[in-house]
């Protein structure tokens, strides 16, 4: 257990539906990352926050994806009008910062779009 | 766009043999991290390298950061079955804490 939790762990939805995932990072960590990982690939950067500010968003992300981190604590990732290509593992990471900057990953939310 | 490639994609070794994975970036990196991911698990941090030419060791693992800060390697001496998994490098290509993960090297160790 890394101290990073994600909810839900699994989500099955029909194409066209909206889904929302939640990440609770390690409380004293200022930054929070969202990644997407498909089978056999490395984690793909989606976006990251410094406290409540969203500092970077991947150009690969369509307008259907949005993320928030109100009050700089937990974060949510919403996907609107899901497509089959959105099926993947969505990972949240909470970096320690400083010289080591270790990213602590949550267990992920596995999304299946039917 | 920014790319981080790793070779080989797969590696099968006999237990006790050495293993090396190479990470190459199309752009200069501010720093590089290495992670290990077991099947069904999430990435677990191994190390971060920051300085040009830096070499760090962790027991049987040796990590190197190239002089030009565009490549890195992970070498495992005398592999064990517990080393099985996929090894990823992740580079900060812009100094903005945006990490681009490599394509990964999947290691299988045959007992």
């Amino acid at each position: 257990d890394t101290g990073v939790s994600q909810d839900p762990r699994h989500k099955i939805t029909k194409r066209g539906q909206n889904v929302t995932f939640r990440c609770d990072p390690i409380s004293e960590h200022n930054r929070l990352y969202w990644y997407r990982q498909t089978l056999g690939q490395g984690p793909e950067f989606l976006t990251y926050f410094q406290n409540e500010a969203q500092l970077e968003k991947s150009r690969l992300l369509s307008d259907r994806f949005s993320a928030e981190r109100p009050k700089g604590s937990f974060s949510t990732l919403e996907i609107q009008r899901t497509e089959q290509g959105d099926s993947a593992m969505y990972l949240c990471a909470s970096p320690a910062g400083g010289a080591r900057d270790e990213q602590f990953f949550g267990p992920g939310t596995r999304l299946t779009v039917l | 766009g920014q790319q981080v490639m790793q070779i080989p994609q797969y590696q099968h070794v006999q237990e006790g043999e050495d293993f090396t994975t190479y990470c190459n970036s199309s752009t200069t990196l501010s720093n590089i991290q290495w992670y290990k991911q077991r099947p069904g698990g999430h990435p677990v941090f191994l190390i971060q390298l920051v300085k040009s030419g830096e070499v760090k060791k962790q027991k049987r693992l040796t990590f190197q950061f190239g002089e030009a800060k565009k490549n890195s390697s992970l070498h495992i001496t005398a592999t064990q079955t517990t080393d099985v998994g996929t090894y990823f490098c992740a580079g900060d290509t812009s100094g903005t804490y945006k990490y681009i993960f490599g394509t990964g090297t999947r290691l299988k160790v045959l007992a």
Side-chain angles (χ1 to χ4, degrees):
Chain A
D1 183 5
T2 61
V4 181
S5 60
Q6 291 187 246
D7 184 70
R9 295 290 303 274
H10 302 272
K11 178 70 176 179
I12 299 174
T13 191
K14 292 183 179 179
R15 191 174 49 188
Q17 298 294 306
N18 299 343
V19 294
T20 300
F21 310 141
R22 176 179 170 127
C23 170
D24 286 88
I26 296 170
S27 59
E28 60 266 29
H29 291 179
N30 295 327
R31 278 181 287 135
L32 182 152
Y33 289 75
W34 284 100
Y35 294 93
R36 176 173 64 188
Q37 188 174 28
T38 53
L39 197 62
Q41 301 296 315
E44 177 189 8
F45 173 85
L46 295 179
T47 188
Y48 91 89
F49 293 84
Q50 173 84 34
N51 298 313
E52 66 274 11
Q54 187 173 17
L55 295 188
E56 281 251 13
K57 184 176 176 180
S58 171
R59 283 173 290 179
L60 299 172
L61 277 190
S62 72
D63 291 341
R64 296 185 297 107
F65 287 72
S66 62
E68 292 183 342
R69 193 183 182 199
K71 301 178 185 177
S73 55
F74 70 92
S75 177
T76 58
L77 177 68
E78 181 183 16
I79 309 175
Q80 295 182 328
R81 305 181 303 281
T82 52
E83 301 171 357
Q84 287 185 327
D86 297 331
S87 296
M89 176 72 83
Y90 289 83
L91 294 165
C92 172
S94 178
R100 183 173 163 89
D101 209 26
E102 171 177 354
Q103 295 189 59
F104 294 88
F105 280 83
T109 295
R110 181 167 295 285
L111 173 66
T112 302
V113 182
L114 302 176
Chain B
Q2 301 154 349
Q3 285 192 334
V4 179
M5 305 297 292
Q6 280 183 255
I7 54 170
Q9 191 175 0
Y10 302 97
Q11 184 83 58
H12 294 181
V13 299
Q14 286 290 137
E15 190 174 20
E17 291 182 339
D18 293 355
F19 159 77
T20 304
T21 172
Y22 300 90
C23 177
N24 295 290
S25 169
S26 56
T27 58
T28 302
L29 302 170
S30 299
N31 62 66
I32 194 159
Q33 299 179 337
W34 284 91
Y35 290 82
K36 176 183 178 181
Q37 186 172 25
R38 288 206 165 94
H42 56 267
V44 175
F45 178 86
L46 295 175
I47 208 155
Q48 173 165 289
L49 304 171
V50 178
K51 298 176 185 175
S52 169
E54 189 170 14
V55 177
K56 286 189 177 179
K57 292 190 177 185
Q58 288 179 351
K59 296 183 181 177
R60 294 179 296 106
L61 277 60
T62 302
F63 303 84
Q64 291 189 334
F65 200 8
E67 293 290 341
K69 299 183 76 173
K70 294 180 76 172
N71 55 68
S72 181
S73 65
L74 158 58
H75 179 81
I76 302 178
T77 304
T79 54
Q80 300 175 357
T81 54
T82 53
D83 295 326
V84 164
T86 301
Y87 292 84
F88 293 102
C89 61
D92 178 358
T93 59
S94 54
T96 60
Y97 300 107
K98 176 184 174 183
Y99 288 94
I100 305 299
F101 275 74
T103 46
T105 296
R106 187 172 173 183
L107 173 65
K108 221 170 190 179
V109 179
L110 308 171

